[in-house]
């Protein structure tokens, strides 16, 4: 532990980091290697707990918008993990990390400036993050959760099915990944799984037949679930095993009228302990409820009034038998007369087409079969038989069939009927030429319950609506707008997968429809508050396009999407998984690059890319646009951008391999990595003794300076002095140094109050951590300087001006974590007004209300957080969650001449870059002032304000050198913007205010400002910056202009207008 001016921080040594990386690498390898049938979903969740424990959850990495923070600046778990373990000594891992980077972000999840976007814009910047509950951890539920979280939504998955085994090892209850049936794999689904790291998260045995075997057209449900579960965990989905959905009631906020779902759910003993809630019934609040819980959906049953009458379809009297048979060794296959010891290829045959084939089966097995499906897998082979019911009775079977869920439950029973069913299947498969070896355990079938089961294939359910909602306009207020007189309010509720449309199994449409329903649901949630979408499509003005019109247009499009999904009107390119050679994409791409690899078609949220009728509309627009040589199809642009990016990052590799660069690690569980030592520290430089008032005359002088010294590069000085009247005395001096808020970091105002000592006044900010610096030089009578601790004691909460009060219920951050306000006010750990919140979720907090030894409030450990006001809303105020403030970056003024690089690096405060585009080196400024004060006797004898020149500044070499640089720099800045008169004229004209008199620093020789700087005490305050300190930069010109304008303008509007005028003249 190191102490820096009473602020302690813990260092993370390189050796400690190496030990942690080694430990997590081993755990992560086990996590990746966990595959069915050796491991199931519960095993993967346990391994994930070892990988992503409390220590890893508290990792902080560097981002484009500052240090990561789970509440205000979140990153994905995989990004934290990669920052610690890197490539783990595995050549595949960099490719895996890069694949995760390539998954498209949108909405609040899109962070400006990141290379992983490949220069492409945010496809939907108008997404308002929602709290989404997905009920069901099957393939559709997991894939939906992944897509939602990539849009910035807070996603929770409830999955109640936990595997239970008797002491004998027999299954008493089936788990959520116990199914091994193999649905049909469509090309666009295969492309989607490849995008989700299927080739790295599946083992070689499972990966080969799915992605590289041309004859294989299926994937195991258990394999698919485990692949998607790993993705979901690495991308931050809150997966809750052992939690069951019971019911949901609509709760409406009395002020905003915004409805939410109060979900009743049950936690078993294991989940209650893990998530620290009471075992049994609990209630939680969500904005969106999505049922992905299969054909007997509890969500659909409890919300049936919203979806209308549920239709039960019966196509025919169709009995289905699913049989999973064990793999037979190559040697045994040869003994069984299979040529070369090889299994036959996949089959999907019907009696109508393959009459001879089924006639042979009937002759050899005396079985009347309508359909036979056979898919090979890495651990077993999967078969479906569709016999006539009378044929089962003829072979001594009861003819009883069940729906699939009941069929699986019956499959656990080893009764006489079950043995007859296995014998029937064995004869049919043998006659069909499918290998099954009776000598293997269980007669050649896999273990129960997946060995053999019969159920009714033709019983299918579907709904008339897929998504229902009715919301008030965002910002509706009962006090301002009156009582709600509209229709009954309903938060969004949706059905997806088999809960929406139960497919006819032999057609293999489960994944095809399911994946479309996933994207349709995301489209509905993403655009529920995106009024610009339909205003643009309908040619309306977004400002006059009412919310009622928007909601109606959104519901109409949702209905169209559902109908197209139901009828499977998939676009030709999406169905084939590849672009049409004569289509717009490949036509334009081949014109740009002849030898480029053809991109695959990936399923997207936008329905105009997925459904044929809508795609034709879009293609018509593309064909018109392609005639313009300057226009480029978005897919073509991304492919070219990615090609350029990979050509660049693969240059450094010895053999051209990928050189992956993830986010830089800052700290682990509060321990700071070397190189970020000043992250979270505050440095106070003691000020030299001030000059007496007599040295400056009766008119008290004020100096505010930003000084920079870095080798031969010109330093920047700004000195403002203002007359306060002949008789003002020492209390009349006023200094205010404002640094501009940059993105999520707080700005800080330094001012002098009635007393002689400086005080710090934090300005409002939406950031958790101020990252600014100010250097102040003032000449006024004052006692001997003492080190000043920043925010030495927290101000009482009642002294903070805030719209939040202790006891308020709030939603915190972009994830909208619910909690209660426990503290509002100033803190000791960072400047600015902070709100302390006790979160309802006991796993999402950071502390117990105590930070750095100071207790601000009391709550259970790991439930408390401190957050800026702008990242909070009152619970129920509005569905619109405040977004983090945009990062505003100053536009650099064109340099007149490039400065030569320094011969050697000068000391800086941590070696980090100022968020102001290259701020002053404050340490150098303080050192220069201290050097000048070393000749205090000589300096005090000099006149405070000489008419011009350097003769009155001092005789010390240091003082002369600093003065020359300051004088030349200030004169250069004055001439750059057209002189002091031009600045004053432009400012007064813009603001209409009477500004500084000619006797101010803006109207006096530069040497006066330089002298004032050298005569005055200097206090340098350094604050943490993400990944950098204060180093000289190329935007000093703009910083100088902004500082002057901030001192002159009285409002943000005036400041912006004056700045634009001055910048135009400066250029």
């Amino acid at each position: 532990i190191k102490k820096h001016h009473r602020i302690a921080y813990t260092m993370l040594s390189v050796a400690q980091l190496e030990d942690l990386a080694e430990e997590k690498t081993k755990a992560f390898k086990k996590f990746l290697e966990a595959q069915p049938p050796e491991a199931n979903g519960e095993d993967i969740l346990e391994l994930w707990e070892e990988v992503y424990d409390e220590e890893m959850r508290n990792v902080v990495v560097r981002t484009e918008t500052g240090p990561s923070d789970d509440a205000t600046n979140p990153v994905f778990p995989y990004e934290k993990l990669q920052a610690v373990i890197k490539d783990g000594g595995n050549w595949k891992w960099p490719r895996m990390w890069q694949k995760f980077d390539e998954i498209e972000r949108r909405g609040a999840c899109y962070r400006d400036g990141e290379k992983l976007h490949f220069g492409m814009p945010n496809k939907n910047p108008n997404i308002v993050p929602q709290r989404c509950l997905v009920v069901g951890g099957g393939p559709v539920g997991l894939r939906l959760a992944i897509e939602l979280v990539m849009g910035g939504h807070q996603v929770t998955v409830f999955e109640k099915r936990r595997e239970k085994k008797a002491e004998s090892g027999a299954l008493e209850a089936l788990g959520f990944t116990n199914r091994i049936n193999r649905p049909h794999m469509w090309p666009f689904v295969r492309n989607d799984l490849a995008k989700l790291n299927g080739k790295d998260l599946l083992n070689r045995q499972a990966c080969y037949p799915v992605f590289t075997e041309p004859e294989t057209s299926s994937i195991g449900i258990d394999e698919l679930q485990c692949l998607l579960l790993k993705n979901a965990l690495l991308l931050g989905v809150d997966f809750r095993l052992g939690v069951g959905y019971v019911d949901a009631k609509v709760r409406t906020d009395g002020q905003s009228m915004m409805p939410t779902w109060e979900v009743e759910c049950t936690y078993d003993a294991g989940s209650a302990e893990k998530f620290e809630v009471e075992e049994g019934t609990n209630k939680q609040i969500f904005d969106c409820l999505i049922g992905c819980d299969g054909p007997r959906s509890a969500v659909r049953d409890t919300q049936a009034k919203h979806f209308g009458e549920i239709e039960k379809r019966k196509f025919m009297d169709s009995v289905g038998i699913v049989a999973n048979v064990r793999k037979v060794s190559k040697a045994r296959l040869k003994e069984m007369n299979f040529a070369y010891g090889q299994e036959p290829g996949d089959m999907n045959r019907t009696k109508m087409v393959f009459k001879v084939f089924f006639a042979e089966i009937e002759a050899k097995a005396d079985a009347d079969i309508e359909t036979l499906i056979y898919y090979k897998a890495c651990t077993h082979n999967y078969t479906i038989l569709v016999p006539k019911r009378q044929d089962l009775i003829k072979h001594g079977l009861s003819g009883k069939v069940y729906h699939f869920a009941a069929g699986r439950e019956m499959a656990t029973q080893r009764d006489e009927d079950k043995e007859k069913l296995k014998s029937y299947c064995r004869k049919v498969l043998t006659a069909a030429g499918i290998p099954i070896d009776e000598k293997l355990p269980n007669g050649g079938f896999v273990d129960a319950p997946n060995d053999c089961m019969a159920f009714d294939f033709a019983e299918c359910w579907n709904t008339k609506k897929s998504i229902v909602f009715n919301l008030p306009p965002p910002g509706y207020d009962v006090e301002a707008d009156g009582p709600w007189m509209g229709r009954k309010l309903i938060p969004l509720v949706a059905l997806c997968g088999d809960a929406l449309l139960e497919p006819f199994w032999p057609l293999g449409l489960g994944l095809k429809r399911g994946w479309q329903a996933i994207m349709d649901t995301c489209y509905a949630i993403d655009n529920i508050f995106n009024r610009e979408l339909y205003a643009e499509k309908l040619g309306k003005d977004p400002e006059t396009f009412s919310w009622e019109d928007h909601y109606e247009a959104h519901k109409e499009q949702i209905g169209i999407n559902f109908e197209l999904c139901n009828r499977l009107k998939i676009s030709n390119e999406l169905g084939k998984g590849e672009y049409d050679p004569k289509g717009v994409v490949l036509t334009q791409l081949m014109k740009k690059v002849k030898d480029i690899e053809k991109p695959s078609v990936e399923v997207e949220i936008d329905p105009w890319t997925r459904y044929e009728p809508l795609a034709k509309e879009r293609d018509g627009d593309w064909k018109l646009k392609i005639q313009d040589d300057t226009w480029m199809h978005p897919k073509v642009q991304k492919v070219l951008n990615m090609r350029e990016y990979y050509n660049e990052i693969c240059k450094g590799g010895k053999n051209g391999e990928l050189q992956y660069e993830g986010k830089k690690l800052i700290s682990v569980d509060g321990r700071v990595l070397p190189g970020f030592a000043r992250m979270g520290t505050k440095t106070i430089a003691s000020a030299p003794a001030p000059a007496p008032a007599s040295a400056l005359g009766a008119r008290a002088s004020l100096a505010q300076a930003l000084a920079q010294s870095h080798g031969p590069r010109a330093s920047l000085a700004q000195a403002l002095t203002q007359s306060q009247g002949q008789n003002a005395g020492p209390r009349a001096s006023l200094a205010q140094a404002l640094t501009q808020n940059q993105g999520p970091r707080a700005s800080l105002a330094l001012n002098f109050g009635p007393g002689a000592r400086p005080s710090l006044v934090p300005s409002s900010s939406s950031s958790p951590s101020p990252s600014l610096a100010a250097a102040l030089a003032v000449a006024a009578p004052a006692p001997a300087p003492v080190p000043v601790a920043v925010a030495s004691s927290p101000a009482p909460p009642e002294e903070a001006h805030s719209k939040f009060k202790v006891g308020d219920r709030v939603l915190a951050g972009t994830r909208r974590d619910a909690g209660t306000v426990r503290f509002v006010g100033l803190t000791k750990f960072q400047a600015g007004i902070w709100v302390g919140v006790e979160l309802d979720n006991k796993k999402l907090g950071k502390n117990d209300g105590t930070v750095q030894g100071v207790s601000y409030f009391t709550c259970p450990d790991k439930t408390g957080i401190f957050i800026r006001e702008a990242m909070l809303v009152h619970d129920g105020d509005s569905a619109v969650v405040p977004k983090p403030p945009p990062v505003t970056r100053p536009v650099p003024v064109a340099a007149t001449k490039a400065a030569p690089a320094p011969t050697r690096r000068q000391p800086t405060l941590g070696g980090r870059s100022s968020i102001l585009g290259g701020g002053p080196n404050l340490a150098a400024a303080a050192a220069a002032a201290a050097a000048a004060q070393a000749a205090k006797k000589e300096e005090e004898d000099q006149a405070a304000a000489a008419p011009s020149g350097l003769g009155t500044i001092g005789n010390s070499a240091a003082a002369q050198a600093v003065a020359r640089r300051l004088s030349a720099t200030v004169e250069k800045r004055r001439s750059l913007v057209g002189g002091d008169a031009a600045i004053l004229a432009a400012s007064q004209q813009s603001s209409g205010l009477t500004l500084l008199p000619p006797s101010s620093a803006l109207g006096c020789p530069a040497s006066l400002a330089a002298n004032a700087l050298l005569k005055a005490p200097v206090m340098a305050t350094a604050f943490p910056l993400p990944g950098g300190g204060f180093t000289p930069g190329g935007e000093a010109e703009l910083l100088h202009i902004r500082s002057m304008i901030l001192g002159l303008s009285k409002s943000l509007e005036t400041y912006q207008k004056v700045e634009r005028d001055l910048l135009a003249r400066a250029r």
Side-chain angles (χ1 to χ4, degrees):
I1 297 179
K2 292 190 176 183
K3 293 184 178 180
H4 197 84
H5 290 280
R6 293 177 283 171
I7 303 296
Y9 59 90
T10 306
M11 294 294 296
L12 177 69
S13 70
V14 175
Q16 289 173 324
L17 179 59
E18 289 174 347
D19 289 342
L20 176 64
E22 183 179 357
E23 174 192 344
K24 294 304 176 185
T25 296
K26 291 179 180 178
F28 190 56
K29 283 181 178 178
K30 292 180 181 179
F31 173 78
L32 294 181
E33 291 169 356
Q35 299 284 342
E38 292 80 12
N40 58 23
E42 294 175 46
D43 298 325
I44 290 173
L45 289 171
E46 290 179 7
L47 291 169
W48 177 247
E49 288 298 311
E50 296 179 21
V51 174
Y52 200 63
D53 55 11
E54 189 72 17
E55 190 173 34
M56 287 303 300
R57 283 193 287 271
N58 290 327
V59 164
V60 176
V61 298
R62 182 177 179 178
T63 75
E64 293 291 327
T65 51
S68 64
D69 183 274
D70 289 344
T72 59
N73 190 28
V75 295
F76 294 113
Y78 87 86
E79 294 177 298
K80 296 182 180 181
L81 188 62
Q82 188 279 329
V84 173
I85 67 177
K86 305 299 181 184
D87 65 6
N90 189 313
W91 65 271
K92 285 187 176 182
W93 288 12
R95 182 181 69 183
M96 177 181 63
W97 302 132
Q98 186 63 44
K99 277 286 187 181
F100 277 117
D101 282 355
E102 289 179 12
I103 301 175
E104 197 168 69
R105 284 116 165 108
R106 62 192 192 282
C109 213
Y110 182 102
R111 187 180 283 111
D112 283 327
E114 290 190 324
K115 294 181 179 179
L116 53 82
H117 303 309
F118 303 108
M120 302 303 291
N122 189 343
K123 283 190 174 179
N124 193 347
N126 298 320
I127 293 176
V128 176
Q130 304 290 295
R131 294 170 295 180
C132 301
L133 172 62
V134 176
V135 180
V140 171
L142 288 168
R143 183 62 184 90
L144 174 63
I146 292 168
E147 198 63 38
L148 285 171
V149 84
M150 297 310 295
H153 302 289
Q154 181 183 344
V155 186
T156 301
V157 177
F158 283 177
E159 176 50 72
K160 68 179 181 180
R161 296 171 293 176
R162 193 189 293 273
E163 183 181 275
K164 293 182 180 178
K165 289 186 176 182
E167 293 183 0
S168 62
L171 276 174
E172 292 183 341
L174 302 175
F176 75 102
T177 59
N178 283 135
R179 291 182 294 169
I180 63 173
N181 52 301
R182 301 184 68 82
H184 183 76
M185 173 68 75
W186 297 87
F188 66 85
V189 178
R190 183 186 290 113
N191 293 345
D192 189 58
L193 298 183
K195 179 183 72 175
L196 295 176
N197 263 305
K199 295 181 180 180
D200 291 307
L201 298 182
L202 288 174
N203 62 27
R204 186 176 61 180
Q205 291 78 11
C207 178
Y208 182 81
V210 174
F211 294 104
T212 59
E213 175 58 54
E215 294 185 358
T216 299
S217 53
S218 68
I219 185 171
I221 284 287
D222 54 346
E223 296 169 352
L224 180 56
Q225 282 180 280
C226 290
L227 166 63
L228 294 174
L229 179 60
K230 291 176 182 178
N231 272 276
L233 296 173
L234 285 162
L235 292 171
V237 172
D238 180 15
F239 189 91
R240 302 198 167 198
L241 180 63
V243 182
Y245 168 88
V246 177
D247 198 358
K249 304 294 183 184
V250 177
R251 295 290 179 261
T252 304
D253 180 76
Q255 189 70 21
S256 68
M257 297 305 298
M258 192 60 66
T260 55
W261 288 110
E262 183 182 75
V263 175
E264 180 183 347
C265 53
T266 57
Y267 280 72
D268 65 15
S271 60
E273 180 181 1
K274 174 177 171 54
F275 297 104
E276 299 181 2
V277 299
E278 295 292 331
E279 183 178 353
T281 302
N282 286 271
K283 293 184 178 179
Q284 294 181 235
I285 301 297
F286 296 94
D287 300 309
C288 302
L289 171 64
I290 308 111
C292 300
D293 45 345
R296 272 64 189 169
S297 168
V299 174
R300 187 184 62 200
D301 290 345
T302 58
Q303 308 302 324
K305 61 182 178 181
H306 300 307
F307 295 104
E309 184 179 353
I310 309 301
E311 179 184 352
K312 180 179 179 180
R313 297 169 295 164
K314 189 84 172 178
F315 291 116
M316 62 189 82
D317 185 17
S318 180
V319 177
I321 300 174
V322 172
N324 292 288
V325 298
R326 296 179 185 270
K327 285 284 189 181
V328 180
S329 68
K330 191 171 184 178
R332 179 63 176 150
L333 284 171
K334 289 181 179 179
E335 293 177 7
M336 296 169 66
N337 298 320
F338 284 90
Y340 307 106
Q342 293 183 349
E343 297 173 322
D346 292 351
M347 303 179 194
N348 190 337
R349 300 180 180 181
T350 62
K351 190 173 185 178
M352 185 178 296
V353 178
F354 296 89
K355 295 180 180 180
V356 175
F357 175 77
F358 285 95
E360 290 180 2
I361 293 177
E362 187 169 6
K364 294 179 180 179
D366 190 23
D368 188 4
I369 305 295
E370 298 290 327
T371 303
L372 187 147
I373 297 173
Y374 163 68
Y375 291 144
K376 292 183 294 183
C378 63
T379 58
H380 69 283
N381 293 331
Y382 171 71
T383 63
I384 296 177
L385 308 179
V386 182
K388 293 284 184 67
R389 188 188 302 270
Q390 289 301 319
D391 195 62
L392 291 178
I393 296 174
K394 183 178 73 173
H395 285 79
L397 294 164
S398 66
K400 292 181 179 179
V401 294
Y402 316 89
H403 61 73
F404 179 65
R408 284 193 81 217
E409 293 169 2
M410 295 296 294
T412 61
Q413 302 176 7
R414 292 183 172 275
D415 55 13
E416 182 181 354
D417 204 40
K418 179 70 170 290
E419 291 302 317
K420 290 181 180 180
L421 184 63
K422 288 161 61 177
S423 176
Y424 177 82
C425 291
R426 191 180 299 112
K427 288 191 293 183
V428 172
L429 295 178
T430 301
I434 296 171
I436 179 169
D437 186 1
E438 274 189 273
K439 297 180 180 180
L440 294 174
N442 198 19
F445 294 90
V446 301
D447 294 335
N450 290 306
D451 49 358
C452 199
M453 66 200 85
F455 54 94
D456 191 345
F457 260 140
E459 183 183 271
C460 298
W461 302 69
N462 74 323
T463 60
K464 295 182 179 180
K465 294 181 181 179
S466 60
I467 298 169
V468 180
F469 69 91
N470 190 46
L471 303 173
Y476 187 90
D477 188 283
V478 170
E479 293 182 3
D481 303 314
W484 177 253
M485 304 300 292
R487 289 175 296 180
K488 188 174 182 179
L489 296 170
I490 306 169
L492 188 144
V493 57
L495 297 175
C496 206
D498 288 357
L500 176 65
L501 294 167
E502 186 177 8
F504 182 54
W505 277 50
L507 297 181
L509 302 179
L511 295 183
K512 189 173 187 179
R513 275 206 183 105
W515 249 240
Q516 302 307 316
I518 288 168
M519 300 303 161
D520 288 345
T521 304
C522 289
Y523 177 84
I525 295 174
D526 281 1
N527 294 295
I528 197 167
F529 295 113
N530 182 10
R531 188 166 54 173
E532 294 181 11
L533 174 67
Y534 297 105
E536 180 182 351
K537 290 185 181 299
L538 298 174
K540 305 289 186 179
D541 181 1
E543 297 300 324
T544 60
F545 193 64
S546 70
W547 281 106
E548 183 177 356
D549 291 339
H550 163 72
Y551 289 146
E552 289 304 316
H554 197 38
K555 291 175 183 177
E556 181 181 356
Q557 186 60 51
I558 288 171
I560 293 172
N561 295 344
F562 173 53
E563 183 61 25
L564 293 173
C565 174
N566 189 8
R567 295 163 55 194
L568 286 173
K569 294 293 185 178
I570 309 300
S571 69
N572 291 331
E573 290 184 331
L574 183 63
K576 295 177 180 178
E578 57 186 26
Y579 288 101
D580 183 355
K582 297 181 180 179
V584 175
V585 172
L586 289 187
T587 298
Q588 191 175 59
L589 188 59
M590 292 303 136
K591 287 182 179 179
K592 300 291 182 182
V593 184
K594 296 294 183 183
D595 59 344
I596 195 167
E597 182 180 353
K598 293 180 182 180
S600 59
V601 177
E602 295 175 351
V603 61
E604 298 183 30
I605 291 175
D606 185 357
W608 276 262
T609 67
R610 294 183 285 112
Y611 295 125
E612 186 64 22
L614 302 180
K616 287 182 178 179
E617 294 178 15
R618 180 71 60 84
D619 288 344
D621 295 337
W622 291 152
K623 289 177 181 178
L624 291 176
K625 291 182 178 181
I626 200 173
Q627 298 175 10
D628 182 359
D629 292 337
T630 62
W631 177 84
M632 190 174 294
H633 191 285
K635 182 66 177 182
V636 175
Q637 184 67 68
K638 184 174 182 179
V639 170
L640 295 177
N641 291 355
M642 291 178 67
R643 184 173 188 264
E644 181 180 354
Y645 173 78
Y646 284 119
N647 286 342
E648 183 64 29
I649 66 172
C650 291
K651 286 180 180 178
K654 181 178 180 182
N655 299 312
E657 67 270 16
L658 180 74
Q659 299 296 296
Y660 179 79
E661 290 187 12
K663 289 178 169 57
K664 304 297 182 184
L665 180 65
I666 291 177
S667 66
V668 178
D669 204 16
R671 295 171 294 168
V672 182
L673 194 67
F676 293 91
R678 294 186 183 271
M679 300 290 294
T681 68
K682 300 175 177 64
T683 304
I684 307 299
S686 299
S694 59
L696 296 176
R699 302 176 71 174
S701 179
L702 163 90
Q704 171 193 347
L706 294 167
Q708 179 173 335
S709 174
H710 196 86
R713 296 188 65 170
S715 55
L716 169 68
Q718 174 189 352
L720 300 176
T721 59
Q722 182 172 358
S723 170
Q724 297 293 336
Q726 295 264 349
N727 301 316
R731 297 181 62 182
S733 290
L734 176 66
Q736 185 175 9
L738 294 175
T739 57
Q740 184 173 347
N741 183 5
Q742 293 291 319
R745 308 180 185 92
S747 59
L748 184 70
L750 295 176
N751 86 320
F752 276 76
R757 281 192 175 186
S759 62
L760 293 174
V761 180
S763 64
S764 63
S765 171
S766 60
S767 165
S769 58
S771 305
L772 303 167
L776 179 66
V778 72
V786 294
V788 180
V790 175
S792 57
S793 62
E798 60 270 19
E799 293 183 7
H801 300 287
S802 172
K803 66 179 180 180
F804 298 100
K805 305 298 180 186
V806 173
D808 286 357
R809 291 289 297 170
V810 293
L811 303 177
T814 58
R815 300 191 312 179
R816 304 187 75 187
D817 300 319
T820 304
V821 174
R822 300 301 185 199
F823 169 86
V824 183
L826 306 181
T827 65
K828 191 172 182 179
F829 56 85
Q830 283 177 3
I833 294 177
W834 290 87
V835 180
V837 178
E838 179 183 349
L839 298 176
D840 296 347
N841 191 322
K842 299 181 180 180
K843 285 291 185 179
L844 298 178
K846 298 270 188 174
N847 51 59
D848 60 357
T850 299
V851 179
Q852 296 180 353
V854 179
S855 178
Y856 300 93
F857 63 93
T858 303
C859 67
D861 192 28
K862 299 300 181 185
T863 64
I865 63 168
F866 286 87
I867 191 169
R868 294 293 189 186
E869 290 180 284
M871 296 307 295
L872 291 173
V873 294
H874 284 99
D875 194 354
D877 267 3
S878 173
V880 181
V881 180
K883 298 180 180 179
V887 181
T888 56
R889 295 180 175 82
V891 181
V893 176
T896 57
K897 184 178 180 180
T903 55
R904 70 181 184 87
R905 180 169 180 159
Q906 301 294 326
T908 63
L909 297 184
R912 291 165 278 181
S913 301
S914 167
I915 58 173
L916 294 175
N921 188 320
L922 302 178
Q933 288 295 335
K936 181 169 61 176
K937 182 65 171 64
E938 295 178 353
E939 299 288 36
E940 290 178 351
D941 292 337
Q942 303 298 326
S948 62
L950 302 174
T952 60
I953 292 183
N955 296 324
S956 69
Q960 291 285 347
V962 172
R964 286 191 187 94
R965 287 197 298 272
L966 295 179
S967 179
T969 304
V970 174
E971 291 291 352
K972 178 181 176 182
R973 303 311 188 262
R974 291 170 66 240
S975 63
L976 175 68
V977 294
D980 300 327
I983 294 177
L984 288 174
S987 301
Q988 286 186 250
Q989 184 179 1
S990 299
S991 63
L993 302 173
T994 302
L995 302 175
L996 302 182
S999 60
S1000 72
L1002 290 176
C1004 68
S1007 56
L1008 172 60
N1011 191 55
L1013 172 67
L1014 293 177
K1015 300 295 287 184
V1018 173
M1019 179 181 72
T1021 307
F1023 293 93
L1025 279 181
F1030 300 95
T1031 59
E1035 299 174 1
E1037 310 282 0
L1038 183 59
L1039 174 60
H1040 174 70
I1041 295 171
R1042 279 186 168 158
S1043 298
M1044 288 192 294
I1045 295 174
L1046 280 169
L1048 300 172
S1049 301
K1050 300 299 182 183
S1051 69
L1052 178 61
E1053 181 180 357
T1054 302
Y1055 155 65
Q1056 291 173 332
K1057 190 174 188 305
V1058 175
E1059 182 187 32
R1060 287 195 297 270
D1061 294 342
L1062 293 178
L1063 284 176
R1065 299 183 62 183
R1067 293 192 184 97

